[in-house]
Amino acid sequence: MGKIGEASTSQSLSKSFTIPNKLHRQAHYARVKSAVESAKRKARFQRKKDEDRNPALREERLKKNIPATLERKRVWDERVDGGIPNRIEKPLVEGEEEASKRRKTQADDEEEDEEAKLLAAHEKAQAEKAEEQETMALFPTLETPAGISTPKILITTSRNCHIHEPAEQLTHLFPNSTYIPRGREHKFSIKEISAFASNPTTTTPSGNPREPYTHLMVVNEDRKIVNALTIVVLPAGPTFHFSLTNYVPPKRISGHGKPTDHVPELILNNFLTPLGKLTSSLFQSMFPRQPEIRGRQVVTLHNQRDYIFFRRHRYVFRERRETEKPVGYGLEDGGKDGGNGSKGDESIPIRVGLQELGPQFTLKLRRVERGIKEGVEWEWKGEMEKDRKRFQL
Amino acid sequence: MKFAVGDDVGQLKIITASRGTDTSLKTSARARISTYFTPDGRDPVYAVCKIDRYQGEERAGLVSPPRTKAGLSAGQLIAAVVFTSGRVGVVDTSVSPISGEGNYLLYTHASETTPPTAAAASPVISAGMQDGILYLFRANGQVVFHRFDGESPSVKTVPLTGDIAAGAVFTEHLVNGWPSAIAIGGRKRDLEIFEPTTGEGGWKSVWKAKNVKQDRLGLEVPVYIRRILFLGTGGVEAAANTTATHPGGPTTVQTSGRKYRLATGTHHSHLRIYDTAVSRRPVFTATLTKSPVLSLHLHPSTQSPTSTPLTAPNTSPESSTTSSPHNWIYSDSNGHFALYSSSTRREVGSYKGSTGAVNATATSSGDVVAGVGFDRYLRVYEGAGREIVVKAYFRSKGTAVAVLDVGDDVIEVEKSLEEGEEEEEEEVWGEMEEVVGSGSGEEEGDFTEALVSVRRRRPRTDREGGGSKKRRVEA
């Protein structure tokens, strides 16, 4: 074996000195390790004693030692309003803030400031209007007022599918959806299905003309497991392709509840960039706009690190038990104070109880296409994940 | 550098950015953006063009007209916007959008026909500006020309029949001030050239292309033309016009029974070159990628002398090469934005960076290529190395772009609110980026480290009673 590192055995001259005798070397490292560990342990126990006596010390320590998670290290992204939340605030940033304040006062003295401010305000207003228009144009169900529009979802599977049951379970997730198995002899392409789903020609048994579908969901199967979802917004809308993992059927969730037919409320967390907003608009357009509060059901789509977690819960407001923490405990408010978050509001005697219903799964957006599969708008590429601190949604 | 960008909600954005701007970096200089028109999701912009002569006066220079404020050095650049519904608007870009549409909109022309539903059924499928004439083609065959350099704008309409998907005009030789030939093509409709008949009245078809031979399986190659360009010499004439389409006008074509040279890009990603003097079948055909071609231009470096034949005679189009270097800039719907050389039948290189289809591209003299697409960034490339010189975020999805001005202001008179005292620093940063070129990747890493707290590993100095052996060297 060749030299692994540039280790030298000359004690006085070299910086990378190691003990040449293997037994001595090993014994030395073992001693060093146990010494370091015991010092740490001692410091820990001492700290615990100090903090038991004086809880303020603990709070201070927690405020300073903010764990560095990837979410906090997220790269500055100009497309997100106001930068990225949950950043680790450093004294460096305070210096920058002062500098920007100085700049602002200077700029105020200049003449063109008025016009620049007006222009900035105009740009902002235009951008908001533009965003709204864009969303309306892409998702027709969001355009009509809340009471009227109901999305109608057609669920089908990929060709030669073997998993009709799990696909059919998706109809329980989305109100007003139907499952139709993919044809066996004549296999319609997605474009064909979209065409006749948006212009149905047959009539219902009662003789009324059918309403057109607003969304088409194609469930992709691989070895009898659902692994991807393609959602097409009809009639001419964008196509979204998600990969689906970690599907947990309701039976495997302990203490799960049985869902009812009520329209759930929708929670969409952490969709920040324009692409994220597009995805959240998609989910918004798939559920009826007017939830039935009586049903106390909520569907949560939580985006974290570009993975979207889908959960369904039934909630209830009940009195807080003595042993429970108060409402709002542990919530971080934008990382402004850092630390482990607020202590909660003890004056509120209510807490929310949650019971998980129905399946849970994880989605990851892979591709967004203009129209029905014409022209790629965004595609996930492996090189996007090279920088672990840059997220797309 | 100044660009006009049209987006898919019907806005016109004028983006001013100096070389080296990369707005995805926190410390880079910001681009100045002004937005015109109220957003309307139903009416995206189809094309944006720069107008050089408006109402009898040259407008391309850095002249300070009375309407602009003192101290601003912006020239009065006029841009024409063509919407997909057929509406045309002319905007004075030196007027700020805050002052209202009355002030910045110099001229507007709604399509004569129609109730909005009919307009939607017949969207604009090709538009641009060539030699002072703004043209637009609609899917139902209607062609409209506008001229702005006279005392008042003038319009001419040419009704053609049928379903088309692409169009181009030949402006070298003008008849009464209007183009002397137009070419159209579409889905299952091969290339066809029309000339105006003498005396008022319709246009007649003078030349129709023939499809390429059947492929190896004996199947007809499908026809679905998306872009058409009239070819000619690039180079000197291109310097005066910076438009959203092919910059150069063709030189004089001799003889009666005029001969034309055209290029087409198709939905099946073919690039075909036709020479009416040689044959009805294309003299050159190549398949670029697998997705439809969205935009096609000739790179300014192309030389295209009309006296020599385009390709060697009697070679099959699938294997012929153009005798003089022709470089084609194209983008397809899969996000591929690249440069193809028909003289070597190879892709010369690609314009990297976009995540998402590049909807529109524009070239300008001086080797500048700009592209906008669904990823909401304007990317400008320069030089033989196709390096990014400007990368600016403009918030909406771009569908059209035109280069208005290639020069950079030496002294920045207008300062944005963020700059000020730190402006010198920013310039230093800006310069640094120029030198480094496209090294923005590493820079991002640097800044991330600066802005993120780095937990340094505690040095191993705190062990107590370390063992009998004295540690001689620090770990």
Side-chain angles (χ1 to χ4, degrees):
Chain A
M1 261 179 55
K3 272 197 196 165
I4 300 170
E6 296 256 350
S8 143
T9 50
S10 158
Q11 290 185 17
S12 46
L13 295 176
S14 146
K15 281 189 194 159
S16 56
F17 166 73
T18 60
I19 303 167
N21 182 320
K22 182 170 179 176
L23 290 173
H24 288 178
R25 189 168 64 239
Q26 288 181 336
H28 173 255
Y29 287 148
R31 277 195 299 270
V32 164
K33 180 174 176 179
S34 70
V36 168
E37 298 277 301
S38 80
K40 276 193 192 169
R41 196 169 39 242
K42 196 167 170 192
R44 243 197 335 252
F45 291 160
Q46 185 59 41
R47 198 190 312 141
K48 184 156 174 33
K49 278 192 209 150
D50 291 337
E51 289 183 349
D52 281 343
R53 268 181 249 136
N54 182 4
L57 283 180
R58 177 161 195 269
E59 300 206 6
E60 249 189 69
R61 178 173 64 90
L62 287 181
K63 271 199 184 158
K64 271 200 305 187
N65 292 352
I66 309 167
T69 56
L70 274 189
E71 285 82 5
R72 288 190 189 272
K73 290 191 193 176
R74 187 166 176 171
V75 163
W76 180 86
D77 194 337
E78 63 174 330
R79 301 170 297 176
V80 175
D81 273 334
I84 307 287
N86 290 335
R87 295 207 56 95
I88 302 176
E89 302 290 312
K90 290 216 73 198
L92 185 65
V93 178
E94 285 171 17
E96 275 182 22
E97 271 185 39
E98 283 170 21
S100 69
K101 277 189 200 142
R102 266 186 287 129
R103 273 182 250 142
K104 278 199 169 114
T105 46
Q106 278 212 347
D108 281 332
D109 298 337
E110 290 171 12
E111 293 174 349
E112 290 134 6
D113 178 56
E114 253 323 294
E115 191 189 330
K117 266 201 203 153
L118 281 179
L119 192 66
H122 162 86
E123 288 295 313
K124 193 159 168 217
Q126 288 264 179
E128 282 168 15
K129 266 190 263 176
E131 215 178 289
E132 211 185 293
Q133 282 295 320
E134 220 181 274
T135 324
M136 297 296 176
L138 287 178
F139 301 106
T141 38
L142 289 182
E143 215 179 335
T144 52
I148 303 178
S149 84
T150 18
K152 199 172 170 205
I153 304 180
L154 173 61
I155 304 182
T156 183
T157 58
S158 49
R159 301 176 210 217
N160 300 325
C161 172
H162 300 273
I163 46 150
H164 300 285
E165 266 246 5
E168 194 158 358
Q169 277 174 10
L170 283 178
T171 55
H172 304 307
L173 282 185
F174 300 98
N176 207 6
S177 56
T178 22
Y179 170 67
I180 297 183
R182 197 80 174 264
R184 243 185 312 172
E185 293 97 34
H186 182 120
K187 299 186 184 161
F188 294 104
S189 72
I190 290 187
K191 290 206 178 175
E192 287 171 341
I193 301 179
S194 317
F196 55 72
S198 26
N199 298 317
T201 44
T202 57
T203 54
T204 60
S206 49
N208 302 331
R210 277 186 205 274
E211 282 199 17
Y213 285 97
T214 55
H215 294 81
L216 167 69
M217 197 180 329
V218 181
V219 173
N220 192 63
E221 175 228 345
D222 179 45
R223 292 211 211 148
K224 306 222 174 31
I225 302 176
V226 174
N227 76 341
L229 219 55
T230 306
I231 305 181
V232 181
V233 180
L234 304 171
T239 316
F240 293 81
H241 189 83
F242 296 91
S243 66
L244 198 155
T245 48
N246 285 352
Y247 179 89
V248 180
K251 283 210 162 31
R252 292 225 279 137
I253 302 173
S254 68
H256 75 100
K258 202 167 172 188
T260 58
D261 275 343
H262 293 100
V263 173
E265 297 163 59
L266 200 58
I267 294 182
L268 299 161
N269 279 342
N270 213 16
F271 290 94
L272 297 172
T273 63
L275 184 66
K277 291 197 181 130
L278 186 69
T279 327
S280 66
S281 308
L282 167 74
F283 293 126
Q284 215 177 349
S285 70
M286 283 173 61
F287 286 90
R289 301 267 291 282
Q290 200 73 284
E292 287 168 324
I293 311 278
R294 285 201 62 181
R296 287 185 286 123
Q297 290 184 97
V298 58
V299 165
T300 308
L301 284 142
H302 176 91
N303 170 44
Q304 191 144 339
R305 301 190 194 183
D306 290 350
Y307 287 91
I308 304 172
F309 299 94
F310 178 100
R311 300 286 183 271
R312 282 173 92 195
H313 294 279
R314 180 176 288 125
Y315 62 88
V316 72
F317 294 110
R318 57 173 163 73
E319 278 198 18
R320 176 161 72 88
R321 297 183 206 128
E322 283 306 312
T323 48
E324 283 177 335
K325 299 257 177 16
V327 167
Y329 185 89
L331 281 184
E332 304 184 35
D333 50 316
K336 284 198 281 276
D337 57 341
N340 279 344
S342 60
K343 289 287 167 235
D345 193 346
E346 293 211 354
S347 62
I348 303 177
I350 299 178
R351 259 193 83 100
V352 179
L354 291 176
Q355 181 191 36
E356 187 151 0
L357 313 166
Q360 70 183 42
F361 49 84
T362 314
L363 296 170
K364 185 165 188 185
L365 182 65
R366 297 288 178 173
R367 197 167 54 234
V368 179
E369 284 162 320
R370 250 300 133 117
I372 305 175
K373 293 186 154 282
E374 327 149 0
V376 168
E377 195 175 307
W378 178 88
E379 187 165 9
W380 180 86
K381 295 212 166 88
E383 63 198 6
M384 289 178 182
E385 296 208 342
K386 255 179 22 180
D387 185 358
R388 302 187 70 198
K389 306 181 207 96
R390 181 177 286 278
F391 304 119
Q392 312 294 327
L393 288 186
Chain B
M1 305 182 89
K2 216 169 178 190
F3 302 90
V5 171
D7 66 5
D8 69 339
V9 286
Q11 292 177 110
L12 167 72
K13 289 185 184 259
I14 306 293
I15 303 176
T16 313
S18 54
R19 282 180 167 77
T21 307
D22 180 352
T23 54
S24 60
L25 299 179
K26 195 169 184 181
T27 54
S28 146
R30 297 287 110 191
R32 271 190 20 251
I33 306 181
S34 0
T35 313
Y36 300 84
F37 296 111
T38 9
D40 180 4
R42 272 163 277 266
D43 201 5
V45 171
Y46 188 85
V48 181
C49 334
K50 175 179 165 187
I51 298 184
D52 286 322
R53 298 186 61 83
Y54 190 75
Q55 291 184 340
E57 296 171 35
E58 275 287 336
R59 293 298 176 99
L62 289 178
V63 176
S64 187
R67 258 189 295 177
T68 58
K69 284 208 168 109
L72 296 177
S73 61
Q76 191 178 23
L77 292 174
I78 315 274
V81 184
V82 180
F83 295 86
T84 314
S85 64
R87 187 162 63 103
V88 174
V90 178
V91 170
D92 181 353
T93 63
S94 58
V95 176
S96 169
I98 314 168
S99 44
E101 219 169 85
N103 275 340
Y104 65 72
L105 191 61
L106 296 172
Y107 166 83
T108 180
H109 176 85
S111 48
E112 286 134 1
T113 47
T114 65
T117 45
S122 174
V124 169
I125 42 93
S126 184
M129 184 108 183
Q130 203 165 308
D131 284 333
I133 301 177
L134 177 76
Y135 63 90
L136 59 92
F137 289 75
R138 308 186 71 149
N140 61 2
Q142 197 192 35
V143 185
V144 185
F145 300 120
H146 289 75
R147 277 196 85 103
F148 299 109
D149 47 0
E151 275 311 306
S152 59
S154 43
V155 187
K156 181 179 167 90
T157 312
V158 177
L160 300 171
T161 49
D163 228 0
I164 56 175
V169 296
F170 182 71
T171 47
E172 197 292 296
H173 184 76
L174 301 175
V175 170
N176 294 333
W178 300 112
S180 58
I182 48 182
I184 55 171
R187 188 176 194 155
K188 298 188 183 141
R189 186 164 179 177
D190 222 334
L191 194 56
E192 202 171 332
I193 302 183
F194 286 79
E195 274 178 0
T197 49
T198 47
E200 276 316 302
W203 290 49
K204 65 176 191 335
S205 162
V206 292
W207 184 82
K208 232 179 161 168
K210 230 174 164 182
N211 198 2
V212 288
K213 295 210 168 102
Q214 294 177 344
D215 61 11
R216 274 196 219 128
L217 296 173
L219 298 170
E220 278 287 328
V221 179
V223 174
Y224 188 163
I225 297 180
R226 292 288 286 260
R227 302 294 272 175
I228 306 180
L229 291 180
F230 271 95
L231 296 182
T233 49
V236 177
E237 277 174 61
N241 299 345
T242 54
T243 66
T245 57
H246 173 52
T251 54
T252 50
V253 181
Q254 60 285 27
T255 76
S256 60
R258 181 162 296 125
K259 300 300 172 201
Y260 301 101
R261 290 175 172 184
L262 308 112
T264 56
T266 71
H267 183 84
H268 307 285
S269 202
H270 297 127
L271 167 67
R272 299 211 165 109
I273 307 182
Y274 295 82
D275 189 346
T276 60
V278 174
S279 81
R280 283 176 64 193
R281 288 198 206 269
V283 292
F284 175 94
T285 176
T287 308
L288 299 170
T289 58
K290 293 203 180 86
S291 331
V293 168
L294 287 183
S295 72
L296 186 67
H297 296 291
L298 264 186
H299 193 266
S301 65
T302 301
Q303 305 140 23
S304 176
T306 44
S307 46
T308 60
L310 265 185
T311 58
N314 292 327
T315 46
S316 91
E318 283 82 4
S319 57
S320 65
T321 58
T322 49
S323 39
S324 51
H326 277 70
N327 291 320
W328 306 88
I329 303 169
Y330 72 95
S331 69
D332 78 349
S333 65
N334 216 7
H336 197 65
F337 179 19
L339 191 62
Y340 178 84
S341 163
S342 51
S343 45
T344 59
R345 276 192 167 260
R346 285 182 68 191
E347 191 175 290
V348 174
S350 68
Y351 295 96
K352 291 197 199 304
S354 353
T355 56
V358 174
N359 282 331
T361 55
T363 62
S364 153
S365 61
D367 227 0
V368 167
V369 177
V372 294
F374 285 130
D375 59 355
R376 306 170 196 257
Y377 274 92
L378 163 74
R379 287 186 176 81
V380 183
Y381 306 83
E382 199 170 14
R386 295 175 303 281
E387 286 160 9
I388 291 200
V389 287
V390 172
K391 179 176 163 191
Y393 178 68
F394 60 88
R395 276 187 151 160
S396 40
K397 302 177 183 164
T399 54
V401 65
V403 182
L404 295 178
D405 186 16
V406 187
D408 279 337
D409 288 340
V410 175
I411 303 168
E412 286 227 311
V413 182
E414 300 102 344
K415 290 195 199 137
S416 63
L417 210 56
E418 285 124 341
E419 299 175 338
E421 196 179 87
E422 311 292 297
E423 198 200 343
E424 284 178 19
E425 231 179 282
E426 305 255 15
E427 281 182 358
V428 170
W429 280 118
E431 280 168 31
M432 271 184 70
E433 287 189 75
E434 269 187 48
V435 169
V436 173
S438 52
S440 45
E442 293 116 74
E443 297 223 8
E444 283 170 23
D446 289 344
F447 294 125
T448 326
E449 282 185 33
L451 292 167
V452 153
S453 81
V454 176
R455 311 269 319 268
R456 304 232 174 260
R457 294 193 53 203
R458 261 184 291 161
R460 299 226 233 122
T461 50
D462 55 346
R463 58 193 172 286
E464 296 163 351
S468 54
K469 215 159 192 180
K470 194 170 84 171
R471 224 169 141 61
R472 290 194 176 95
V473 181
E474 294 285 4

